Amino acid sequence: MTLFHRSTIIERQWHSRTRGIAAMGDTLEFSDIYQEVKGSWNDGRLRFGRQSVVYKSSKTGKVDSIPAAELSQAQWRRVCLGQGIKLTTSTGHIYKYDGFRDTDFEKISEYFKAHYKVELSEKELCVKGWNWGTTKFSGPLLSFEVSDSPAFEIPLASVSQCATGKNEVTLEFHQNDEAEVSLMEVRFYVPPGDTATTEEGPEPVEVFRDSVLSKADVIQATGDAVCIFKELQCLTPRGRYDIRIYPSFLHLHGKTFDYKIPYSTVLRLFLLPHKDQRQMFFMISLDPPIKQGQTRYHFLILLFSKEEDLSLSLNMTEEEVEKRYGGKLSKNMSGSLYEMVGRVMKALVNRKITVPGNFLGHSGTQCITCSYKASSGLLYPLERGFVYIHKPPVHLRFEEVSCVNFARGTTTTRSFDFEIETKQGTQFTFSSIEREEYGKLFDFVTAKKLSIKNRGFKEGIKGKDDMLEDSDEDQHDAYLERMKEEGKIREEANDSDDSDGESDESFNPGEEEDDIAEEYDSKASASDSSAEEGDSDREKKKRPAKKAKVVKERKPRKKPKDSGAPKRPMSAYFLWLNASRESIKAEHPGISITEISKRAGEMWRELGKEQKVEWDGKAEEAKKDYEVAMREYRESGGGSSAPSKKERKKKGGKRDEKNKKGTSGGGRERERERERTTGNDSFKSREFISSEESSSESDRGKGKRKRKGSDEEEVASTPPSSDSGSD
């Protein structure tokens, strides 16, 4: 059929990649092989084995297996991502994989001949750019050929609608949210046939449309449903829906919305028990997701009660059920509602149902209560991944997990956070997990051989729950140690006082008053004075020990920065960093400051000793220049080391306080000083005493207690003329 086509332009971005080839005996394996899914490239691993060809997607984990006995044709073609292989099976299915290299052709060709008995033929694509040619329908593909060479191919499974005009056929496609640019529609012009031909049969446009719809993914509810489940509670999307089971798709009918889900979009099935042991979750993983406006639902979650039973009768005969499902279903079934739904879905979707493994939490259940994005839910550690229910649902396979981390709870020490980081850099944080669940979860993660980010911190602590205690207990607390030492000193002082038979009054903070009374007490005996001096000496020996402890713990104050002093020289690394910063920015446009520092540190470590010698020399020269500049600065009077007025005042106060505390009683040495002074003055006669000395002596005597004996007589004998002279 000759026709013309008009299509929208598709733009694709090609990116560099690394790939590996593993040949192990009877298998041939390739990494970074791409498969197109509705305009988006998904990478994965392709393995050729003697029994089958297996492709596993890195994104979804979905596995496509092609039995070797069904391979009928293999083509090697030049495609957008290097070289590609097109495999055709005897059942009519076609599989295309891109991302091979030119050098892989010989290995794959020899392997196909030896194990599959299929020749790998080379097929050239037409790149003339012509928009007229012929169409061929081969299985699920529509091929547009020019001069017997394919120009492009359309997977009919991607067609969502097919409409016809007078001489035109329009194909509309399913959209993929992950594709940056999507193909919306393609229009084919079909020339009208001869009049004699059209009278005998249908129009060419109708023939073309019927050929497309026979293989297109256009869901049409034709015929009766296999079975219907009424008013099931659905958590995602929220509401109650009637679920109608058709042979090729699932129909959700609600009061507001309807969803039709092809079984080909179902990835996995999960049956998970609720923590209350009275309800069950049935979760269906979908790719692509169902859509409602801008909302995407990647999971369909149903909630069942264990006590609800159902008797089900399929809308088929016994022979049809046996022929189509091979004993997996029977015409009449009865049991719990969740068991009936799971059994029917497993048979029609042809996928296994995943249930929890051997994990048991602290409460004896197979899940852990936690919060994700401010919503409370349940985390299920499974044998091959983690599942969180329900808002939003999350499924993380161990294959895509980079590492996990146990973190302290942000609000209380009675809980902790469990963080999962994927290989794509996405982080999922499940918070508010009870502390009692830590040991069970840690053992599970360790058994699954997942990388734990803070494993070193965990192993350094005795016991698993200690990680959740106050971290200050694991560190040295200087204040706590000082308080303990002071407590020991007090206990030793009390013990020594009790052994001497003395009371607590021996330590009197007002001992200076006692010393003053002793100084002017003429009845005080020498023996009492010596005894009290001994007591004061013992007290001084105890107290300085405490004072020294306190001073030792204090942090020294930083000296004020001299703004006029020369700047300190930079090290060799920083000199190199200043010279290399622009080149790093040019190589990595849009890089942040922290990433620049990180990248620079890696580059500096990779430099050899010969390259670092240059920068070490520059750093040494800068250091010498700094020393010369600093010397000149100090000689010119800058950076004076003389203490400031505030520091001198502070030192003077400390010195006075030390002198005051260093005296025993405070007045005894002052009395000896006055005696020595008055002794020197006694050698002078009364006429040699100047008026200034008299006035100064009288001023010093104001406000003080008068001394007895000879001191009182000397003060009384001072002539009044000296006071007038001083005024």
Side-chain angles (χ1 to χ4, degrees):
M1 182 182 297
T2 305
L3 45 82
F4 304 91
H5 83 281
R6 297 192 299 273
S7 62
T8 58
I9 299 175
I10 307 173
E11 297 180 0
R12 290 174 180 156
Q13 297 180 350
W14 318 125
H15 57 280
S16 61
R17 63 203 179 278
T18 58
R19 53 186 301 276
I21 304 174
M24 301 175 60
D26 296 335
T27 62
L28 193 62
E29 188 170 348
F30 297 86
S31 61
D32 291 329
I33 300 300
Y34 291 82
Q35 184 181 38
E36 184 182 1
V37 180
K38 297 180 181 179
S40 176
W41 291 102
N42 294 341
D43 66 315
R45 298 181 67 87
L46 180 65
R47 184 181 65 197
F48 297 106
R50 302 192 66 174
Q51 302 297 328
S52 62
V53 178
V54 179
Y55 178 80
K56 185 173 183 180
S57 174
S58 301
K59 175 191 171 187
T60 62
K62 184 178 179 180
V63 177
D64 294 331
S65 181
I66 308 172
E70 295 183 1
L71 288 177
S72 61
Q73 187 180 4
Q75 290 183 359
W76 181 268
R77 308 185 300 176
R78 175 71 180 178
V79 291
C80 53
L81 293 179
Q83 302 290 338
I85 288 181
K86 176 184 176 183
L87 302 178
T88 306
T89 63
S90 57
T91 57
H93 292 86
I94 295 178
Y95 302 89
K96 295 190 296 182
Y97 304 104
D98 298 353
F100 296 94
R101 295 180 179 176
D102 297 339
T103 55
D104 298 336
F105 175 76
E106 295 181 2
K107 298 178 183 178
I108 299 175
S109 179
E110 293 176 0
Y111 190 89
F112 274 44
K113 289 180 181 179
H115 299 91
Y116 303 149
K117 308 300 180 183
V118 175
E119 183 179 356
L120 183 62
S121 60
E122 295 187 64
K123 184 72 173 179
E124 293 292 336
L125 299 180
C126 179
V127 292
K128 293 182 178 180
W130 293 1
N131 64 341
W132 66 90
T134 58
T135 56
K136 291 183 179 180
F137 292 90
S138 56
L141 283 182
L142 185 156
S143 177
F144 185 85
E145 297 184 355
V146 178
S147 302
D148 294 332
S149 296
F152 63 87
E153 294 174 339
I154 298 176
L156 295 179
S158 300
V159 177
S160 62
Q161 192 58 260
C162 180
T164 60
K166 183 177 180 181
N167 291 317
E168 279 190 351
V169 179
T170 303
L171 305 184
E172 297 180 5
F173 301 96
H174 292 290
Q175 300 305 305
N176 190 347
D177 296 334
E178 298 182 1
E180 296 183 2
V181 180
S182 298
L183 180 63
M184 302 297 295
E185 66 177 28
V186 174
R187 294 183 182 181
F188 293 93
Y189 172 77
V190 183
D194 297 336
T195 306
T197 306
T198 55
E199 291 179 356
E200 296 177 359
E203 292 285 342
V205 173
E206 301 294 332
V207 175
F208 189 93
R209 185 196 62 180
D210 294 341
S211 300
V212 171
L213 291 178
S214 63
K215 298 295 183 180
D217 187 14
V218 179
I219 300 176
Q220 297 177 349
T222 58
D224 297 330
V226 176
C227 61
I228 300 176
F229 298 98
K230 294 283 189 179
E231 293 291 325
L232 296 185
Q233 183 180 355
C234 190
L235 300 181
T236 305
R238 187 176 178 181
R240 286 192 174 270
Y241 290 85
D242 293 341
I243 298 183
R244 300 174 182 178
I245 306 295
Y246 288 90
S248 60
F249 66 94
L250 179 71
H251 183 199
L252 269 70
H253 176 69
K255 294 181 179 179
T256 308
F257 303 109
D258 279 10
Y259 302 97
K260 294 179 181 179
I261 305 173
Y263 295 142
S264 58
T265 64
V266 176
L267 291 180
R268 294 176 184 84
L269 303 174
F270 299 91
L271 186 61
L272 307 171
H274 197 280
K275 193 171 185 179
D276 59 9
Q277 301 298 323
R278 294 182 297 176
Q279 302 179 92
M280 296 291 293
F281 294 108
F282 187 74
M283 186 168 75
I284 303 174
S285 176
L286 304 174
D287 183 42
I290 56 178
K291 306 174 184 179
Q292 184 57 51
Q294 297 298 324
T295 306
R296 304 291 184 266
Y297 298 104
H298 293 269
F299 297 92
L300 176 66
I301 302 178
L302 304 174
L303 182 62
F304 301 96
S305 174
K306 285 187 175 181
E307 300 175 355
E308 190 174 358
D309 297 332
L310 176 69
S311 295
L312 182 65
S313 178
L314 301 183
N315 190 19
M316 301 172 68
T317 63
E318 289 284 356
E319 292 77 11
E320 290 176 345
V321 173
E322 181 65 27
K323 181 180 179 180
R324 182 172 294 183
Y325 303 112
K328 296 179 181 179
L329 297 177
S330 59
K331 179 175 175 59
N332 297 309
M333 299 178 291
S334 62
S336 300
L337 179 58
Y338 71 89
E339 291 179 351
M340 293 297 99
V341 174
R343 186 174 177 182
V344 171
M345 290 297 298
K346 180 180 179 181
L348 271 69
V349 179
N350 196 23
R351 296 196 181 277
K352 297 180 180 180
I353 296 179
T354 303
V355 296
N358 300 325
F359 175 82
L360 286 178
H362 176 73
S363 58
T365 58
Q366 295 173 310
C367 58
I368 296 174
T369 304
C370 62
S371 297
Y372 176 64
K373 291 186 177 180
S375 298
S376 179
L378 299 174
L379 179 65
Y380 291 85
L382 306 178
E383 291 301 316
R384 296 185 179 180
F386 295 97
V387 169
Y388 174 79
I389 293 178
H390 83 101
K391 195 173 182 180
V394 176
H395 177 224
L396 298 171
R397 295 175 289 114
F398 291 157
E399 300 172 358
E400 57 183 342
V401 174
S402 174
C403 63
V404 299
N405 182 35
F406 294 89
R408 182 188 302 277
T410 56
T411 58
T412 176
T413 58
R414 298 296 300 175
S415 64
F416 67 96
D417 297 346
F418 183 58
E419 301 172 353
I420 301 177
E421 185 175 343
T422 63
K423 295 178 181 178
Q424 287 77 23
T426 308
Q427 183 169 324
F428 299 85
T429 302
F430 303 96
S431 58
S432 301
I433 303 177
E434 296 179 357
R435 187 176 67 178
E436 290 76 14
E437 302 285 0
Y438 175 75
K440 300 286 186 179
L441 186 57
F442 184 88
D443 293 341
F444 174 81
V445 172
T446 305
K448 297 302 179 182
K449 298 181 181 179
L450 297 178
S451 175
I452 302 176
K453 186 181 295 186
N454 55 349
R455 178 183 292 274
F457 175 70
K458 166 65 181 63
E459 293 179 349
I461 302 175
K462 299 178 181 178
K464 298 172 182 176
D465 292 340
D466 292 347
M467 192 275 294
L468 304 170
E469 300 293 340
D470 192 359
S471 62
D472 294 338
E473 296 180 0
D474 301 328
Q475 301 175 359
H476 176 70
D477 192 338
Y479 177 75
L480 181 61
E481 294 295 332
R482 187 171 75 245
M483 296 303 295
K484 289 180 179 180
E485 290 294 333
E486 292 182 1
K488 291 180 181 179
I489 293 173
R490 292 194 190 98
E491 291 178 0
E492 293 175 359
N494 294 336
D495 294 341
S496 62
D497 293 341
D498 294 341
S499 62
D500 296 338
E502 297 178 355
S503 64
D504 293 339
E505 294 177 354
S506 61
F507 178 72
N508 189 356
E511 62 180 355
E512 292 184 1
E513 296 180 2
D514 297 339
D515 294 336
I516 295 173
E518 179 188 353
E519 179 183 355
Y520 296 103
D521 189 0
S522 59
K523 296 181 180 180
S525 62
S527 60
D528 294 339
S529 175
S530 61
E532 291 180 1
E533 288 179 2
D535 293 339
S536 62
D537 292 339
R538 285 196 299 271
E539 295 298 332
K540 285 189 291 181
K541 290 179 181 178
K542 295 174 184 177
R543 280 180 290 168
K546 293 193 293 183
K547 295 286 183 180
K549 187 71 176 180
V550 174
V551 172
K552 187 176 181 180
E553 297 296 337
R554 290 178 181 171
K555 295 182 179 179
R557 295 185 178 179
K558 294 182 179 179
K559 295 182 179 179
K561 187 176 181 181
D562 190 356
S563 58
K567 293 185 178 180
R568 291 181 175 274
M570 286 189 283
S571 62
Y573 168 73
F574 282 102
L575 291 173
W576 171 85
L577 176 60
N578 290 340
S580 306
R581 182 177 284 106
E582 295 300 327
S583 61
I584 296 175
K585 289 182 179 179
E587 294 177 2
H588 306 277
I591 190 172
S592 61
I593 298 176
T594 55
E595 291 295 331
I596 291 177
S597 302
K598 183 178 178 181
R599 178 60 182 163
E602 295 175 356
M603 295 173 63
W604 176 256
R605 286 192 294 270
E606 294 174 359
L607 288 178
K609 294 183 179 179
E610 298 178 355
Q611 296 173 314
K612 290 183 179 180
V613 167
E614 175 187 356
W615 300 103
D616 291 337
K618 293 182 178 180
E620 190 66 27
E621 293 178 1
K623 184 177 180 181
K624 292 180 181 179
D625 296 341
Y626 168 75
E627 291 176 353
V628 173
M630 197 66 187
R631 193 181 304 112
E632 295 176 354
Y633 176 71
R634 287 174 179 171
E635 291 175 357
S636 62
S640 176
S641 60
S644 62
K645 186 184 294 183
K646 194 172 184 180
E647 293 177 351
R648 289 197 301 270
K649 184 176 180 181
K650 190 173 181 181
K651 291 181 179 179
K654 288 184 178 180
R655 192 181 302 110
D656 294 342
E657 185 179 356
K658 185 175 180 182
N659 294 335
K660 186 184 294 183
K661 292 183 179 179
T663 59
S664 175
R668 201 178 309 280
E669 293 185 2
R670 287 197 297 272
E671 184 179 358
R672 295 194 186 109
E673 184 71 18
R674 291 192 186 96
E675 289 178 355
R676 286 195 297 270
T677 305
T678 54
N680 294 334
D681 292 343
S682 62
F683 289 103
K684 297 180 182 180
S685 60
R686 196 174 293 272
E687 57 268 23
F688 286 101
I689 300 176
S690 63
S691 61
E692 293 180 359
E693 292 178 353
S694 302
S695 62
S696 61
E697 186 67 26
S698 63
D699 292 339
R700 285 195 299 268
K702 290 181 181 179
K704 294 185 179 180
R705 298 181 181 181
K706 295 182 179 181
R707 291 175 293 174
K708 297 180 181 181
S710 60
D711 293 337
E712 293 178 353
E713 294 177 358
E714 185 177 354
V715 173
S717 62
T718 303
S721 60
S722 62
D723 294 336
S724 61
S726 62
D727 294 335

Coordinates of all heavy atoms in Angstrom, one line a residue, residues 471-505:
S471 N 24.1 11.4 73.4 CA 25.5 11.2 72.9 C 26.5 11.9 73.8 O 27.7 11.6 73.7 CB 25.6 11.8 71.5 OG 25.3 13.2 71.5
D472 N 26.1 12.8 74.7 CA 27.0 13.4 75.6 C 27.6 12.4 76.5 O 28.7 12.6 77.1 CB 26.4 14.5 76.4 CG 25.9 15.7 75.5 OD1 26.5 15.7 74.4 OD2 25.0 16.4 75.9
E473 N 27.0 11.3 76.8 CA 27.5 10.3 77.7 C 28.7 9.6 77.1 O 29.6 9.1 77.8 CB 26.4 9.2 78.0 CG 25.3 9.8 78.7 CD 24.2 8.8 79.0 OE1 24.5 7.6 78.7 OE2 23.2 9.1 79.6
D474 N 28.9 9.6 75.8 CA 30.0 8.9 75.1 C 31.2 9.9 75.0 O 32.2 9.5 74.5 CB 29.6 8.4 73.7 CG 28.4 7.4 73.9 OD1 28.4 6.7 74.9 OD2 27.6 7.4 72.9
Q475 N 31.0 11.1 75.3 CA 32.1 12.1 75.2 C 32.6 12.6 76.5 O 31.9 12.5 77.5 CB 31.6 13.3 74.3 CG 31.1 12.9 72.9 CD 30.5 14.0 72.2 OE1 30.5 15.1 72.7 NE2 30.1 13.8 71.0
H476 N 33.8 13.2 76.6 CA 34.3 13.7 77.8 C 33.6 15.0 78.2 O 33.6 15.9 77.4 CB 35.8 13.9 77.6 CG 36.5 14.5 78.8 ND1 36.6 13.9 80.0 CD2 37.0 15.8 79.0 CE1 37.2 14.7 80.9 NE2 37.4 15.9 80.3
D477 N 33.1 15.1 79.4 CA 32.4 16.2 79.9 C 33.3 16.9 80.9 O 33.4 16.4 82.0 CB 31.0 15.8 80.5 CG 30.2 17.1 80.7 OD1 30.7 18.2 80.8 OD2 28.9 16.9 80.8
A478 N 33.9 18.0 80.5 CA 34.9 18.7 81.4 C 34.2 19.2 82.6 O 34.7 19.2 83.8 CB 35.6 19.8 80.7
Y479 N 33.0 19.8 82.5 CA 32.3 20.4 83.6 C 31.9 19.3 84.6 O 32.0 19.4 85.8 CB 31.0 21.1 83.1 CG 30.1 21.6 84.2 CD1 30.5 22.8 84.9 CD2 29.0 21.0 84.6 CE1 29.8 23.3 85.9 CE2 28.2 21.5 85.7 CZ 28.6 22.6 86.3 OH 27.8 23.1 87.3
L480 N 31.5 18.1 84.1 CA 31.1 17.0 85.0 C 32.3 16.5 85.8 O 32.3 16.2 87.0 CB 30.5 15.9 84.2 CG 30.0 14.6 85.0 CD1 29.0 15.0 86.0 CD2 29.5 13.6 84.1
E481 N 33.5 16.4 85.1 CA 34.7 16.0 85.8 C 35.1 17.0 86.8 O 35.6 16.6 87.9 CB 35.8 15.8 84.7 CG 35.6 14.7 83.7 CD 35.6 13.3 84.4 OE1 36.2 13.2 85.5 OE2 34.9 12.4 83.9
R482 N 35.0 18.3 86.6 CA 35.4 19.3 87.6 C 34.5 19.2 88.8 O 34.9 19.3 89.9 CB 35.3 20.7 86.9 CG 35.8 21.7 87.8 CD 35.9 23.1 87.1 NE 34.6 23.7 87.0 CZ 34.1 23.9 85.8 NH1 34.7 23.6 84.7 NH2 32.9 24.5 85.8
M483 N 33.2 19.0 88.6 CA 32.3 18.9 89.7 C 32.6 17.7 90.6 O 32.5 17.7 91.8 CB 30.8 18.8 89.2 CG 30.4 20.1 88.5 SD 30.5 21.6 89.5 CE 29.3 21.2 90.8
K484 N 32.9 16.6 89.9 CA 33.3 15.4 90.6 C 34.6 15.6 91.5 O 34.6 15.2 92.6 CB 33.5 14.2 89.7 CG 32.3 13.7 89.0 CD 32.6 12.5 88.1 CE 31.3 12.0 87.5 NZ 31.6 10.9 86.5
E485 N 35.5 16.3 90.9 CA 36.8 16.6 91.6 C 36.5 17.5 92.8 O 37.0 17.2 93.9 CB 37.8 17.2 90.7 CG 38.4 16.3 89.7 CD 39.2 15.2 90.3 OE1 39.7 15.4 91.4 OE2 39.3 14.1 89.7
E486 N 35.6 18.5 92.7 CA 35.3 19.4 93.8 C 34.6 18.6 94.9 O 34.8 18.8 96.1 CB 34.5 20.5 93.3 CG 35.3 21.5 92.4 CD 34.4 22.7 92.0 OE1 33.2 22.7 92.4 OE2 34.9 23.5 91.2
G487 N 33.7 17.7 94.5 CA 33.0 16.9 95.5 C 34.0 16.0 96.3 O 33.8 15.8 97.5
K488 N 35.0 15.4 95.6 CA 36.0 14.6 96.3 C 36.8 15.5 97.3 O 37.1 15.1 98.4 CB 36.9 14.0 95.3 CG 36.3 12.9 94.5 CD 37.3 12.3 93.5 CE 36.7 11.2 92.7 NZ 37.6 10.6 91.7
I489 N 37.1 16.7 96.9 CA 37.8 17.6 97.8 C 37.0 18.0 99.0 O 37.5 18.0 100.1 CB 38.2 18.9 97.0 CG1 39.3 18.6 95.9 CG2 38.8 20.0 98.0 CD1 39.6 19.8 95.0
R490 N 35.7 18.2 98.8 CA 34.9 18.5 100.0 C 34.8 17.3 100.9 O 34.8 17.4 102.1 CB 33.5 18.9 99.5 CG 33.4 20.2 98.8 CD 32.0 20.6 98.6 NE 31.8 21.8 97.7 CZ 31.5 21.7 96.4 NH1 31.3 20.5 95.9 NH2 31.4 22.8 95.7
E491 N 34.7 16.1 100.4 CA 34.6 14.9 101.2 C 35.9 14.7 102.0 O 35.9 14.4 103.2 CB 34.3 13.7 100.3 CG 32.9 13.7 99.7 CD 32.7 12.5 98.8 OE1 33.7 11.7 98.7 OE2 31.6 12.3 98.3
E492 N 37.0 14.9 101.3 CA 38.3 14.8 102.0 C 38.4 15.9 103.1 O 38.9 15.6 104.2 CB 39.5 15.0 101.0 CG 39.6 13.8 100.0 CD 40.6 14.1 99.0 OE1 41.3 15.1 99.1 OE2 40.8 13.2 98.1
A493 N 38.0 17.1 102.9 CA 38.0 18.1 103.9 C 37.2 17.8 105.1 O 37.5 18.0 106.2 CB 37.6 19.5 103.3
N494 N 36.0 17.2 104.8 CA 35.1 16.9 105.9 C 35.7 15.7 106.7 O 35.6 15.7 108.0 CB 33.7 16.4 105.4 CG 33.0 17.6 104.8 OD1 33.2 18.7 105.1 ND2 32.1 17.3 103.8
D495 N 36.3 14.8 106.0 CA 37.0 13.7 106.7 C 38.1 14.1 107.6 O 38.2 13.7 108.8 CB 37.5 12.6 105.8 CG 36.3 12.0 105.0 OD1 35.2 12.0 105.5 OD2 36.6 11.4 103.9
S496 N 38.9 15.1 107.1 CA 40.0 15.6 107.9 C 39.5 16.4 109.1 O 40.1 16.3 110.2 CB 40.9 16.4 107.1 OG 40.2 17.5 106.6
D497 N 38.4 17.2 108.9 CA 37.9 17.9 110.1 C 37.3 17.0 111.1 O 37.5 17.2 112.3 CB 36.8 18.9 109.6 CG 37.4 20.0 108.7 OD1 38.6 20.2 108.8 OD2 36.6 20.6 107.9
D498 N 36.6 15.9 110.7 CA 36.1 15.0 111.7 C 37.2 14.3 112.5 O 37.1 14.0 113.7 CB 35.2 14.0 111.0 CG 34.0 14.7 110.4 OD1 33.6 15.8 110.8 OD2 33.4 14.1 109.4
S499 N 38.3 14.0 111.8 CA 39.4 13.3 112.5 C 40.1 14.2 113.5 O 40.5 13.7 114.6 CB 40.4 12.8 111.5 OG 41.0 13.9 110.8
D500 N 40.1 15.5 113.3 CA 40.7 16.4 114.3 C 39.7 16.8 115.4 O 40.1 17.6 116.3 CB 41.2 17.7 113.5 CG 42.3 17.3 112.6 OD1 43.0 16.3 112.8 OD2 42.6 18.1 111.6
G501 N 38.5 16.4 115.3 CA 37.5 16.8 116.3 C 37.0 18.2 116.1 O 36.5 18.8 117.1
E502 N 37.1 18.8 115.0 CA 36.7 20.2 114.8 C 35.4 20.2 114.1 O 35.0 19.2 113.4 CB 37.7 20.9 114.0 CG 39.1 21.0 114.7 CD 40.1 21.8 113.8 OE1 39.7 22.1 112.6 OE2 41.2 22.0 114.2
S503 N 34.6 21.3 114.2 CA 33.3 21.4 113.6 C 33.5 22.1 112.2 O 34.6 22.5 111.8 CB 32.4 22.2 114.4 OG 32.9 23.5 114.6
D504 N 32.4 22.2 111.5 CA 32.4 22.8 110.2 C 32.7 24.3 110.2 O 33.0 24.9 109.2 CB 31.1 22.6 109.5 CG 30.9 21.2 109.1 OD1 31.9 20.4 109.1 OD2 29.7 20.7 108.9
E505 N 32.7 24.9 111.5 CA 32.9 26.3 111.6 C 34.4 26.7 111.4 O 34.7 27.8 111.3 CB 32.5 26.8 113.0 CG 31.0 26.7 113.2 CD 30.6 27.1 114.6 OE1 31.5 27.4 115.4 OE2 29.4 27.1 114.9

